[in-house]
Amino acid sequence: MKQKQEAGAALGEAIARAFAGLFANARRLAAERRAETVCAALLVLMAANLFASISRKSITNDEIVHIPAGYYHLVAGKFQLNNEHPPLVKMWAALPLLFIQPNEAAPAPGEVIGNYSEETWKYLDQFWPNNKEHFAAISFWTRTMMILITLGLGVLIFVYARDLFGPRAAVLAVALYTLEPTVLGHGRLVHTDLPSAFAFLLFFFVLRYYLKARTLRRALVLGLVSGLALVIKFSMFVLLPVLAGLALAAFVFAPRLQESRKRIAIHLALVVCSILFVVNAAYYFRSPPVEPADVRWVQTMSAPTFDRWMTFFHLGSKVVPTYFLFGQYNVMLHNRDGHPTSLLGQYTTKGWWYYFPVAFAIKTSLPFLILALAALAWALWSLWKRDWRFIWLVIPFAIYAALSMSSHINIGVRHFLPAYPFLFIAAGTLLDRLLRVRYAHHLMVALVVLMMGWMSVEMLRAYPDYIPYMNQLASAHPHWWYLSDSNVEWGDDARALADYLHAHGETEVRGALSGGWGTLELYGIHYHEIFPKPGRVTPETRYVAIGASFLNGSTIAVPADEQGKLVSDEQRINYLSEYRTRTPEATFGNSIYLYRVKD
């Protein structure tokens, strides 16, 4: 018995020593990797914030489309649905649905409606009603996949900044990233905006990696990453001119670079082949003919050049997938025709060159706005002083800023997200530089703490309503006066509206809501669009719910009357103007206003 006790004691001591050694090693590793540990802690807190947000928010207007489309891409291998957005992000988000196994009905082809075929709408109309019991699970798991990308972008910001400016600058950049409301608002959504920021930053990280040592392996990685970017968001097409310009410069200056043109050509061929492989793989190496409904769409939208476009699709599909080309075509049409939008009380469909600078100025927290502007100025000054590291911040930012400012699709600051990581890194580097100032060290430390504390307060003040967030510069008017569309309302407060209506004994509502047509029914509220349609009688309801973007007026689309007559633009914009001066009974998430119109 005594021997057993001694053996047990010895075993206990051995286990205790093992755990003590393990903890000691963990502490030593944490001390050696302090920056990585702090970065991980910041991203864990960010993940907690994002998960807490999705537990309170419904899916947005675009997610109603993207989630079913992603599942359909994944299991059917067809890419006609929602082709204005490449499939990769949607398919990534839909991966958990392979385990949930949602109910679905096969779509049927039909007439063209807008820039989508009937196939899209019939599939979508059936997907959500057929999956009411799975709605919460589908919403949660698809958005969880997007949170993983958001955390991945945080890691990439850390690595990019550390390689250029050191670990402390990297930690500060990540801290800014995890606190910015626009990132928190879009980092949980099934959409291509934040993933495109990841792809854009990853491209320049890999490009720098390649230029430091131009090997075949690194050329392969550069090509794979470039292809990945193209199937994440079509605006990443801007990376191809960057590659072409670098290739041309390499050929011209080959002797000075001590490179053979043959080697450059081999690397370029490898990059191009890698891009084509990734693009084709994302579409399952399929290039079916353009669907009849989409042919009619081309006839409608490009009648004078119809034959040329069809020839382009036919010949181009020999190299890349048909619906990769068709998606690019739809984006081109969208940009050509513009999108109804609003800025500072002005209205247009073509946008303004200064839209994104203004949107960034009022949708970014003031401390980060101050830091970003100061950091950009400092980065330019550092370049003037020949600190060439800042090329990897200034040039990518300038490329995407120029692309955004030339766009006619001005519907959300989210489209500017690929430029944000370079601002986080520049601002984090500026803060790091301030902490290195010796003659006023305590003052600099206080300044850094103040800016971080201010950002934290703004983040907490906005929680969980990050999508409609605006800073103190937008305080003279209601938020919907400054901007519209996804800047102020995107449908993710439908759940809060439904809960309120149920609590007041209501099961139906009239309204004008982003996404209301797709989500309120899933919460047991019958939604009646407030805009009249010929042959349809809209019932009177006790409450009317108006989204902030519809109060703005830019997103209103009043159908023609029975004689086919349309209202004027002024009438359309002011169609709901009576609600602008009314006091709502309740407001949800700063995006939905509920008015009682009957007792």
Side-chain angles (χ1 to χ4, degrees), residues 480 546 550-553 556 570-582 595:
W480 51 259
I546 308 295
F550 289 90
L551 277 180
N552 171 282
I556 291 176
E570 184 178 356
Q571 290 173 317
R572 177 182 63 81
I573 290 167
N574 293 306
Y575 193 85
L576 298 174
S577 59
E578 63 174 297
Y579 293 99
R580 294 173 183 166
T581 55
R582 285 193 183 188
Y595 304 89

Side-chain angles (χ1 to χ4, degrees), residues 20-255:
L22 182 64
F23 288 131
N25 287 334
R27 286 196 298 271
R28 178 177 55 79
L29 183 62
E32 292 175 355
R33 296 287 186 178
R34 186 176 301 170
E36 288 83 351
T37 303
V38 175
C39 173
L42 289 169
L43 293 176
V44 167
L45 291 174
M46 183 188 201
N49 188 342
L50 292 170
F51 277 111
S53 296
I54 65 174
S55 69
R56 300 182 60 176
K57 295 289 186 176
S58 180
I59 59 176
T60 60
N61 181 74
D62 286 22
E63 288 176 292
I64 298 171
V65 179
H66 292 328
I67 293 172
Y71 184 64
Y72 189 58
H73 298 332
L74 198 61
V75 299
K78 294 183 69 177
F79 301 95
Q80 292 86 343
L81 276 68
N82 193 221
N83 56 66
E84 194 173 336
H85 300 274
L88 190 62
V89 170
K90 293 175 286 181
M91 293 165 68
W92 165 261
L95 279 174
L97 304 191
L98 296 176
F99 301 96
I100 296 173
Q101 289 290 299
N103 302 315
E104 58 174 338
E111 297 299 319
V112 173
I113 299 179
N115 62 338
Y116 297 103
S117 68
E118 182 88 3
E119 177 178 347
T120 302
W121 292 117
K122 283 190 175 180
Y123 182 77
L124 296 174
D125 285 346
Q126 294 167 1
F127 183 87
W128 293 112
N130 289 345
N131 287 283
K132 285 186 177 181
E133 71 277 17
H134 298 309
F135 177 60
I138 290 172
S139 302
F140 176 81
W141 287 111
T142 52
R143 289 185 286 176
T144 294
M145 299 299 285
M146 304 311 296
I147 290 175
L148 294 179
I149 295 178
T150 302
L151 299 179
L153 177 54
V155 172
L156 183 58
I157 287 172
F158 176 83
V159 174
Y160 196 104
R162 183 188 60 188
D163 285 357
L164 285 170
F165 303 107
R168 186 165 63 182
V171 169
L172 291 167
V174 172
L176 296 172
Y177 170 72
T178 61
L179 295 173
E180 181 52 37
T182 296
V183 171
L184 295 170
H186 294 276
R188 57 184 167 82
L189 305 183
V190 181
H191 213 292
T192 57
D193 298 311
L194 193 129
S196 67
F198 176 87
F200 196 65
L201 182 63
L202 181 62
F203 171 83
F204 283 98
F205 176 78
V206 171
L207 179 62
R208 180 170 176 267
Y209 171 77
Y210 169 74
L211 293 178
K212 286 170 68 177
R214 297 178 292 280
T215 65
L216 278 174
R217 180 181 297 179
R218 295 187 179 198
L220 174 64
V221 173
L222 178 60
L224 293 175
V225 167
S226 302
L228 184 73
L230 291 177
V231 290
I232 284 178
K233 193 176 179 70
F234 284 130
S235 64
M236 293 296 104
F237 198 85
V238 72
L239 298 179
L240 296 185
V242 174
L243 287 174
L246 288 171
L248 179 61
F251 272 104
V252 172
F253 298 106

